[in-house]
């Protein structure tokens, strides 16, 4: 498998951390504000994956790249909700 750029790992990890912060939020305004932060972090990750996958030296499809990054973050053994 091709090497996954650290920047993509960081962006996905950031999105997962923002998602995890939703847990336990009871105040509707706080929840919505956090949801926006999660959405923005996810959008930044998606944009970076799209940009990276479009490079001529990248042999993986955009989908394959996204899944490889998500697997790498998931299998790192870190749970952002903890």
């Amino acid at each position: 498998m091709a090497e996954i750029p650290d920047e993509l790992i960081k962006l996905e990890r950031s999105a997962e951390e923002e998602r995890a912060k939703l847990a336990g939020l009871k105040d509707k305004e706080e929840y919505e504000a956090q949801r926006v932060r999660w959405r923005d972090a996810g959008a930044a990750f998606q944009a970076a994956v799209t940009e990276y996958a479009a490079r001529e030296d990248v042999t993986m499809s955009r989908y394959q790249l996204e899944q490889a990054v998500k697997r790498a973050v998931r299998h790192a053994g870190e749970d952002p909700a903890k």
Side-chain angles (χ1 to χ4, degrees):
M1 178 183 295
E3 180 145 339
I4 300 169
D6 287 340
E7 184 59 27
L8 294 180
I9 298 279
K10 288 176 189 173
L11 287 168
E12 173 60 9
R13 201 170 276 147
S14 173
E16 282 300 300
E17 288 169 358
E18 294 301 330
R19 179 197 55 78
K21 290 176 185 176
L22 287 168
L25 290 179
K26 306 234 187 286
D27 181 77
K28 184 177 179 179
E29 288 180 22
E30 283 181 49
Y31 183 88
E32 287 303 314
Q34 185 58 43
R35 193 178 64 75
V36 167
R37 286 190 287 276
W38 173 34
R39 184 192 66 212
D40 291 347
F45 168 69
Q46 292 294 327
V49 168
T50 299
E51 182 179 333
Y52 188 82
R55 293 176 26 174
E56 289 188 26
D57 63 328
V58 175
T59 57
M60 286 190 276
S61 71
R62 190 211 170 285
Y63 174 79
Q64 290 170 322
L65 178 61
E66 178 182 351
Q67 293 307 304
V69 173
K70 288 180 181 246
R71 274 191 306 276
V73 169
R74 224 175 309 153
H75 294 298
E78 299 170 11
D79 184 355
K82 292 183 179 180

